[in-house]
Amino acid sequence: MLEELLIFTRGGLILWSSCRALGAAALKGSPIDALIRSCLLEERSADASFSQDNYALKWTFHNDLGLVFVAVYQKILHLLYVDDLLAAVRREFSQIYDPKRTSYDDFGDIFRQLHREVEARAEEMKKSKQALSSRPQPALSQKKVGPKGRRGDSRGAAANKGGSGAKDDSDGDDSGNKDQNTLANGAFKGQENGARKENSLARPVVVKGKENGGPKDNGAFDVSKLQKLRTNKKNVAADNGTKKLTKPDTKKKGKQDRVWDDKPSNKKLDFTDPADERGDEVTDNVAVIEGESMMDKDEDLSSDSEDEEVEDGPKKKGWFSSMFQSIAGNNVLEKSDLQPALKALKDRLMAKNVAEEIAEKLCESVAASLEGKKLGSFTRISSTVQTAMEDALLRILTPRRSIDILRDVHAAKERGRPYVIVFVGVNGVGKSTNLAKVAYWLLQHNLSVTLAACDTFRSGAVEQLRTHARRLQIPIFEKGYEKDPAVVAREAIQEATRNKSDVVLVDTAGRMQDNEPLMRALSKLINLNSPDLVLFVGEALVGNDAVDQLTKFNQKLADLSAVPTSRLIDGILLTKFDTIDDKVGAALSMVYISGAPVMFVGCGQSYTDLKKLNVKSIVKTLLK
């Protein structure tokens, strides 16, 4: 049974609802709001369906009029007529739609009629399928023996016709049928070989220089073909001899010797901190040395690498021919018109390190938003697709909520507790290093920071974090190795509360998304301490693996959670961003698959190399 059919504009104005018009009961919860948040606004409108609680939702668009049609029904019913009903409602409603009109009470009768028609058609199709499935099927032995025997007759007749002439067509029909039936049923190899030997006794027939000795005569050959092969071999040998003679005699240049400087280099290669007699490192406060963090600097959008586009080489075609070549063939866009431009756009996104699955879904979503839309007289399809994709990327990468951590820290400080950030991720992505960068940035805003060494799994992890704490002159809470990280984090938060620290940064062990024990320990840490922010630290170098990492991290955190409302990843810290040139697709893949914003970008080795994500710059780089 259909629960509701809703018609609304892309701006959010509800034009007609079956619940209101027909007096049906309202839906439990808000599945349509969830559809808008999770699919329509996240460029997942190309998906076939969406599920929320006990409901399944399907939808379609009228892009030219800017209308959205949504059907809601119980998930367990599997209604077969929903797609037909949406298409019929879309067709009928578009005929009476007026942008100045806001009430469509008279559409209820039309909807009842359409609903009855599609239900009747679905019932007829169901009955016809049941009738076809209930028909008795012939026996398997009749299927196998009959047709193969007849085919054996025709093959035997054709063989006799070709080998002995037309007068032998009627000879040996019975015996031929018996042999063919035996071979068709796969009796024995000896019978098959015997039949071949009998066929090989037939007299050879010479036709146009060919000796046809039967199927067993492997020595048969065509004289004319043999002569052609000999002639070709001579020509090839002659050509090879000519190539060898005409090939230029080029000698490979030897490797040139490297020129070394006579004077030894005075360049400092040891960058470790000096140590005193006890072996403890003597460090100074680096807050004065390093300077201002890049997080507080406004990035210049008009950089030469982004805005200047130099065209190499002359244009191959004039403006007149190129303009008319890319003009739409008709005013209404169809899917076939969009495919070439979308294929080129998908290849461009994948070349920028966007995961293939994400690029495919984005192109499908753009096609769904443009199909049926009317174009102007001289509007290019490629530019229309480019603009639609740019808008989609901006919507995806722009955070949907506030990511002002400093404001949240001050709000937690007013409540008398520290603000807790947990850093999670796979092995070797730079969690500890970028945790120190975040600590340095917070110190510059006059906030007190405490580090929690909860990586009790990897050797040297505590010492690494201890070094960062000494260089930044901030306290660190540690309990050594082989301890429960959830308990260590809880005690660190309690200690920071007693010392009135503003922020606690929790370092965790790197773990692969398939490591069940470590993922269970991480879920326990998050559920026990309820951090304010869970940051996923990921490399900007990954491509398709970014989808697998974030998907499985969120899935494990949800499955292994001991509380009903599980905590998932809240934000992303993208590392090694200075090593990827224009391959910035990992940021798009991570945001698309998780819905979490990129809050920090690591772009170097020093404490100041931490900045915000420039969304416009990323979009421009992806589409360049």
Side-chain angles (χ1 to χ4, degrees), residues 468-541:
H468 286 303
R470 276 204 299 264
R471 288 181 61 83
L472 296 173
Q473 298 293 310
I474 57 178
I476 178 174
F477 186 89
E478 57 176 281
K479 286 290 186 178
Y481 296 98
E482 297 183 359
K483 301 292 191 300
D484 189 352
V487 176
V488 176
R490 183 179 60 183
E491 294 179 359
I493 295 171
Q494 293 172 355
E495 181 70 18
T497 305
R498 286 192 294 268
N499 297 334
K500 296 184 178 181
S501 292
D502 299 327
V503 184
V504 178
L505 303 181
V506 181
D507 184 30
T508 62
R511 66 206 74 212
M512 296 305 294
Q513 59 269 23
D514 298 322
N515 193 324
E516 182 78 17
L518 288 179
M519 290 302 300
R520 190 177 296 277
L522 178 63
S523 177
K524 179 183 177 183
L525 186 149
I526 293 175
N527 293 328
L528 183 64
N529 297 284
S530 300
D532 298 280
L533 186 64
V534 179
L535 275 182
F536 178 85
V537 185
E539 283 183 329
L541 303 170

Side-chain angles (χ1 to χ4, degrees), residues 31-298:
I32 297 179
D33 292 342
L35 169 69
I36 295 172
R37 286 193 305 267
S38 304
C39 286
L40 304 187
L41 294 181
E42 291 294 323
E43 295 301 325
R44 292 181 174 88
S45 55
D47 295 345
S49 61
F50 174 77
S51 297
Q52 175 72 17
D53 297 332
N54 296 326
Y55 298 110
L57 294 86
K58 288 191 175 183
W59 61 92
T60 187
F61 302 106
H62 196 298
N63 293 313
D64 189 30
L65 300 179
L67 301 178
V68 184
F69 304 82
V70 181
V72 186
Y73 57 96
Q74 291 290 337
K75 189 165 33 178
I76 61 174
L77 294 181
H78 300 290
L79 300 182
L80 302 177
Y81 60 82
V82 175
D83 293 329
D84 294 337
L85 179 61
L86 284 173
V89 169
R90 178 181 180 273
R91 182 181 63 252
E92 296 295 333
F93 191 83
S94 60
Q95 296 177 0
I96 65 172
Y97 174 69
D98 185 2
K100 299 179 181 180
R101 183 179 173 186
T102 58
S103 177
Y104 294 88
D105 295 334
D106 55 343
F107 188 70
D109 297 333
I110 301 175
F111 173 75
R112 291 190 189 92
Q113 182 65 25
L114 295 175
H115 195 190
R116 284 195 293 267
E117 290 177 359
V118 294
E119 276 187 331
R121 285 198 298 269
E123 192 65 26
E124 290 178 1
M125 290 178 61
K126 186 177 180 181
K127 289 180 179 179
S128 62
K129 287 182 180 180
Q130 292 177 353
L132 288 174
S133 60
S134 61
R135 285 183 181 177
Q137 296 182 356
L140 294 176
S141 59
Q142 294 178 1
K143 279 188 178 180
K144 288 184 178 179
V145 176
K148 288 191 177 181
R150 289 193 294 271
R151 282 198 297 270
D153 294 345
S154 61
R155 283 198 299 267
N160 292 332
K161 196 170 185 179
S164 302
K167 64 181 180 179
D168 295 329
D169 287 346
S170 60
D171 294 344
D173 282 343
D174 297 335
S175 62
N177 282 337
K178 186 182 293 183
D179 292 340
Q180 291 295 332
N181 287 332
T182 304
L183 290 175
N185 292 327
F188 298 98
K189 290 185 178 179
Q191 295 179 4
E192 184 178 353
N193 294 334
R196 288 183 178 176
K197 287 180 181 179
E198 291 175 6
N199 291 333
S200 64
L201 295 177
R203 68 177 186 272
V205 179
V206 180
V207 181
K208 295 183 180 180
K210 296 182 181 179
E211 289 187 6
N212 190 1
K216 193 68 179 177
D217 191 2
N218 294 328
F221 62 92
D222 190 347
V223 180
S224 60
K225 284 186 179 180
L226 184 61
Q227 292 176 353
K228 288 180 181 179
L229 288 173
R230 288 175 178 173
T231 306
N232 291 336
K233 286 182 180 179
K234 290 180 180 179
N235 294 335
V236 170
D239 292 341
N240 292 334
T242 308
K243 289 180 180 178
K244 289 180 180 179
L245 291 175
T246 57
K247 186 176 181 180
D249 188 11
T250 57
K251 294 182 179 180
K252 293 184 178 179
K253 294 182 180 180
K255 185 178 179 181
Q256 296 180 357
D257 295 334
R258 180 173 296 177
V259 179
W260 299 93
D261 296 333
D262 294 335
K263 297 181 180 180
S265 176
N266 295 325
K267 187 177 180 181
K268 180 184 176 183
L269 298 179
D270 188 5
F271 292 96
T272 57
D273 294 322
D276 56 10
E277 295 178 354
R278 295 180 301 173
D280 294 335
E281 295 177 354
V282 180
T283 59
D284 297 327
N285 194 338
V286 298
V288 181
I289 302 173
E290 295 285 348
E292 186 182 3
S293 175
M294 295 175 66
M295 281 288 294
D296 301 318
K297 295 179 181 179
D298 294 330

Side-chain angles (χ1 to χ4, degrees), residues 263-436:
K263 297 181 180 180
S265 176
N266 295 325
K267 187 177 180 181
K268 180 184 176 183
L269 298 179
D270 188 5
F271 292 96
T272 57
D273 294 322
D276 56 10
E277 295 178 354
R278 295 180 301 173
D280 294 335
E281 295 177 354
V282 180
T283 59
D284 297 327
N285 194 338
V286 298
V288 181
I289 302 173
E290 295 285 348
E292 186 182 3
S293 175
M294 295 175 66
M295 281 288 294
D296 301 318
K297 295 179 181 179
D298 294 330
E299 189 173 350
D300 188 11
L301 296 179
S302 59
S303 60
D304 296 338
S305 61
E306 294 173 0
D307 288 347
E308 293 184 4
E309 296 181 1
V310 181
E311 294 183 359
D312 298 330
K315 293 182 179 180
K316 295 182 179 180
K317 297 182 181 180
W319 68 272
F320 191 82
S321 60
S322 62
M323 181 181 67
F324 275 94
Q325 185 178 2
S326 57
I327 287 177
N330 47 16
N331 289 332
V332 179
L333 278 177
E334 297 179 358
K335 198 166 186 178
S336 58
D337 301 327
L338 299 170
Q339 286 303 321
L342 290 174
K343 177 66 169 60
L345 203 55
K346 177 187 173 184
D347 295 340
R348 194 184 310 169
L349 290 174
M350 291 176 61
K352 301 292 184 180
N353 215 17
V354 179
E356 182 181 5
E357 177 187 354
I358 306 301
E360 182 71 29
K361 288 184 177 179
L362 281 172
C363 291
E364 289 176 358
S365 178
V366 170
S369 65
L370 292 178
E371 189 177 355
K373 188 176 181 180
K374 288 185 179 179
L375 295 180
S377 300
F378 294 96
T379 305
R380 299 176 57 175
I381 295 178
S382 58
S383 62
T384 303
V385 172
Q386 180 99 352
T387 303
M389 180 62 76
E390 184 176 354
D391 295 340
L393 295 179
L394 284 173
R395 282 197 299 272
I396 293 171
L397 291 173
T398 302
R400 301 190 305 274
R401 59 179 177 82
S402 174
I403 57 173
D404 190 355
I405 294 180
L406 297 177
R407 187 192 65 179
D408 297 338
V409 170
H410 287 292
K413 186 177 180 180
E414 292 176 357
R415 292 192 293 268
R417 64 174 186 83
Y419 187 83
V420 182
I421 305 177
V422 175
F423 293 77
V424 303
V426 299
N427 308 80
V429 295
K431 289 184 296 300
S432 301
T433 303
N434 285 274
L435 179 146

